[in-house]
Amino acid sequence: MSNEKIIELKNVEVTYREKKTLFTYDEYTALKNISFDLYKGETLGIIGRNGAGKSTLLRVLAGIIKPDSGDIKIHSNSISLMALQAGFDPNLSGRQNTIFSGMVLGHRLSYIKTIIESIKKYSELNDFFEKPIKNYSSGMLARLGFSIAMYTTPEVLLIDEVLGVGDVTFAEKAKKSIREKIKSDTTVVIVSHDEAQLKQLSDRLVCIENGVVLFEGPSESVYNKYNLIMKLTSYGLHLHEYVNNNVVAFKVDSVNPSPNYSDLNFIMEEDISDVYFETKSGHSDKVIVKDNGFWIRMFHDDSYHIFLQRKNDNKESIKITIGY
Ligand SMILES: Nc1ncnc2c1ncn2[C@@H]1O[C@H](COP(=O)(O)OP(=O)(O)OP(=O)(O)O)[C@@H](O)[C@H]1O
């Protein structure tokens, strides 16, 4: 990874508009105030639950969607979005779509002709490669998209949920190829629900929730915070706010819910000296920290501001706000 920025996003906002009646529209803001930079050669993972805005973000990075407001600077003319059914013409064959995709990526026809048989072989589509892709299954489409991206070597490869495509053998082959791309100069952005694998492959993770970047930073740290949200929400609790400086990781180790309260056990990755909380209803107290973990009892009719104080750092406290 270098210090050279390949894509820069500043306060990007995207709103989908669907016509309702002649004069009215349904609007949905899928991305709000998104700012981050993508660096040359890095592998960035994007995590977030269903509907968080991940695919929309990839489409913005690919230049397919223009932001409604904010700024995007793309310093590359070779970006490939690998997604199920991205940018293919359903009436053209696999071969014709391959040629078309290659040309969109800036390759000459003579060059595409030298790699097209390798793409066909890699895709394992055999005779289907010559047939219109409208007859393909979603796994076959993904295999075609994947194979094209592997051989046309874009400078930036955006991968949307296609790591586990096809049968087990193809999926394994695909993962191996991705690892090779990651080792090369290619800049890779991956969206996947296989979070453990995402953590393994990525240098950095961005976690989005409801269209905003919630956390961004080293994979392990972001992954742990994301797990925290998942765990809290699976028990009906909401994480309202999280304020820190990006490097602290913590997870909820166990939760014992009762009808009136949840006992939450937080485990911290680094040295904390103090924890105290305040509730919306005005209750506040100190919490005992032991082996970098602490329990907190959260009553369901309140929400909690939890302040974590790091050891050797008197100035900075981390604040999380959780509640129903
Ligand atoms: N073309 C569209 N028109 C209207 N709303 C859309 C459109 N595409 C996406 N959305 C909405 O925007 C939000 C973000 O969608 P997006 O596909 O980016 O989420 P995602 O994080 O990729 O989800 P998933 O993990 O389920 O694929 C969702 O609420 C979705 O319903």
Side-chain angles (χ1 to χ4, degrees), residues 208-303:
I208 57 174
E209 171 79 352
N210 285 331
V212 299
V213 172
L214 208 53
F215 319 120
E216 180 263 306
S219 298
E220 181 79 27
S221 164
V222 174
Y223 182 70
N224 284 341
K225 291 178 211 164
Y226 176 69
N227 270 341
L228 167 79
I229 303 179
M230 287 304 173
K231 196 134 190 179
L232 292 175
T233 49
S234 71
Y235 287 97
L237 285 155
H238 297 291
L239 182 76
H240 295 304
E241 192 190 7
Y242 177 86
V243 183
N244 84 327
N245 72 348
N246 243 332
V247 286
V248 175
F250 55 81
K251 59 183 180 188
V252 173
D253 200 43
S254 54
V255 183
N256 299 324
S258 86
N260 300 321
Y261 59 82
S262 296
D263 284 324
L264 266 75
N265 180 215
F266 289 85
I267 305 289
M268 301 293 298
E269 202 181 59
E270 55 181 81
D271 283 349
I272 43 165
S273 55
D274 261 336
V275 179
Y276 67 98
F277 71 84
E278 282 169 11
T279 72
K280 217 171 171 180
S281 62
H283 179 52
S284 67
D285 213 343
K286 218 168 146 75
V287 177
I288 292 168
V289 182
K290 196 164 176 277
D291 301 328
N292 268 7
F294 62 92
W295 284 89
I296 193 160
R297 174 161 293 188
M298 300 181 65
F299 289 90
H300 294 174
D301 53 359
D302 220 335
S303 69

Side-chain angles (χ1 to χ4, degrees), residues 1-6 38-42 155 185 187:
M1 184 175 129
S2 72
N3 289 328
E4 198 182 324
K5 292 174 186 170
I6 198 153
L38 183 66
Y39 292 89
K40 209 170 176 175
E42 78 167 326
E155 200 177 4
D185 282 348
T187 309

Side-chain angles (χ1 to χ4, degrees), residues 56-67:
T56 307
L57 182 55
L58 282 196
R59 277 181 248 143
V60 169
L61 294 174
I64 298 168
I65 300 182
K66 298 271 169 273

Side-chain angles (χ1 to χ4, degrees), residues 16 18 28 30 49-56 59 161 193:
Y16 288 112
E18 265 177 301
Y28 184 81
R49 69 181 97 208
N50 289 125
K54 305 180 295 296
S55 302
T56 307
R59 277 181 248 143
E161 301 284 3
H193 282 289

